[in-house]
Amino acid sequence: MKDTIDEALEIALAAARLAGEILQAGQPDEPRRASVTTRLKSSPTDVVTEMDLAAEKAIVEVLERLRPLDGIVAEEGSNRDSNSGWNWFVDPLDGTVNYLYGSPQWCVSIAAADSEGVCAAVVHAPALALTFYARRGKGSFRIDRQGETRLGPISEVPLDQALVATGFGYRSERRRNQARVVAEVIPLVRDIRRKGSAALDLCWVASGVVNAYYERGTNAWDIKAGGLIVEEAGGVFGGLRGESAGMAMTVAAAPKLQSELVELLTNLDADLGD
Ligand code: LIP
């Protein structure tokens, strides 16, 4: 019989690929962009497309069929309580604005958690032809057209040589505070990247495309899958002031760099205000 975590990974991979196909097939071209915007979330820059909702529906249908007792926490609201001790964290489309603008940095992010926490994770980026996955205790991997590569261990670099990814929220008050923080961080690091998908940013940390990632305002569905992928590549994924990664702050990097960034961001009160 298959190990339950392996089975969860297979389900996550299948559901993410299905959602990815739906999203790619329905990606709006320039003239259709305006018409696919179905509603606005917290501000006019937070665009939720019909495709986002369709992708979530497809993932939830897979989970309902194969894991009817498990809980679901999903970005577009298909939530369900768990009767099995297992929960699934689903972001059907992370990097929504990139998707809408035709930039390839978007993905489907799915994490499965048992009573001990996240145990299987998939971040699937169809427009980049890349899939990242991890199982707890069994490493993280990248699949591309050439095949499959094990990730890590993530290299340590001094803070002043670190390429640091970050992201900004949708509300202007939050952005003002995030701009204040990034203005203090940028003179101390190699450079900053703002790619637009938290789930992928975590995979970039795991695969050495950036050295670190931090962001305030990340939801569970944005970071649960990428967090395991970082940890299984030897990185650290957490928050400030001894907290777990989450809404207040998420910081991911190799262990020493992560603790330096945590100290810097704590001194800047990057997790407070707005
Ligand atoms: C995105 C996050 C990203 C953040 C964006 C946005 P969405 O999620 O993944 O890190 O900086 O502003 O919140 O809205 O594409 O699912």
Side-chain angles (χ1 to χ4, degrees):
M1 203 179 83
K2 243 183 228 149
D3 177 68
T4 329
I5 296 179
D6 287 350
E7 185 191 281
L9 179 73
E10 274 183 28
I11 293 170
L13 279 168
R17 285 177 177 140
L18 175 64
E21 279 167 23
I22 292 170
L23 288 163
Q24 273 201 303
Q27 189 161 26
D29 53 18
E30 174 78 39
R32 280 188 57 228
R33 268 181 204 150
S35 67
V36 295
T37 304
T38 56
R39 62 188 166 92
L40 302 176
K41 281 202 287 199
S42 48
S43 93
T45 42
D46 186 353
V47 185
V48 181
T49 65
E50 283 168 24
M51 301 316 302
D52 201 346
L53 297 168
E56 179 164 311
K57 187 164 173 278
I59 296 166
V60 168
E61 276 170 11
V62 170
L63 296 178
E64 274 170 351
R65 186 161 40 85
L66 300 174
R67 307 287 294 224
L69 301 178
D70 295 359
I72 300 176
V73 181
E75 181 174 23
E76 300 309 329
S78 316
N79 296 341
R80 197 176 72 184
D81 289 340
S82 176
N83 288 312
S84 64
W86 281 70
N87 283 290
W88 295 75
F89 297 88
V90 176
D91 192 343
L93 173 53
D94 188 49
T96 317
V97 175
N98 286 340
Y99 174 78
L100 191 72
Y101 278 74
S103 164
Q105 295 262 346
W106 55 270
C107 63
V108 182
S109 172
I110 302 180
D114 61 13
S115 56
E116 291 164 42
V118 178
C119 55
V122 170
V123 173
H124 175 53
L128 296 168
L130 283 177
T131 306
F132 297 89
Y133 75 85
R135 277 165 300 171
R136 189 174 57 219
K138 291 189 175 166
S140 47
F141 295 83
R142 166 197 151 117
I143 307 172
D144 60 22
R145 289 197 182 96
Q146 272 69 55
E148 196 167 308
T149 323
R150 188 171 181 143
L151 301 177
I154 302 173
S155 308
E156 290 283 5
V157 296
L159 185 65
D160 64 1
Q161 283 168 37
L163 186 59
V164 180
T166 191
F168 305 109
Y170 286 111
R171 284 185 296 109
S172 12
E173 310 86 86
R174 169 144 305 166
R175 287 183 168 191
R176 193 165 290 118
N177 203 30
Q178 288 173 318
R180 171 189 66 80
V181 171
V182 83
E184 297 291 336
V185 173
I186 198 167
L188 306 177
V189 299
R190 183 191 294 275
D191 208 345
I192 290 286
R193 291 289 179 270
R194 197 294 192 240
K195 291 169 182 277
S197 157
L200 273 174
D201 280 339
L202 288 162
C203 296
W204 300 143
V205 172
S207 46
V209 171
V210 297
N211 301 114
Y213 162 72
Y214 78 89
E215 184 166 351
R216 173 154 166 74
T218 44
N219 290 287
W221 51 76
D222 294 319
I223 57 168
K224 290 276 187 191
L228 184 68
I229 291 167
V230 166
E231 288 176 340
E232 288 296 325
V236 176
F237 163 74
L240 306 189
R241 303 172 217 277
E243 302 275 327
S244 305
M247 193 48 89
M249 182 59 68
T250 295
V251 188
K256 189 166 176 294
L257 178 61
Q258 202 267 358
S259 76
E260 281 172 339
L261 256 182
V262 164
E263 191 184 337
L264 172 63
L265 293 166
T266 306
N267 290 338
L268 293 170
D269 286 338
D271 57 336
L272 304 178
D274 61 65

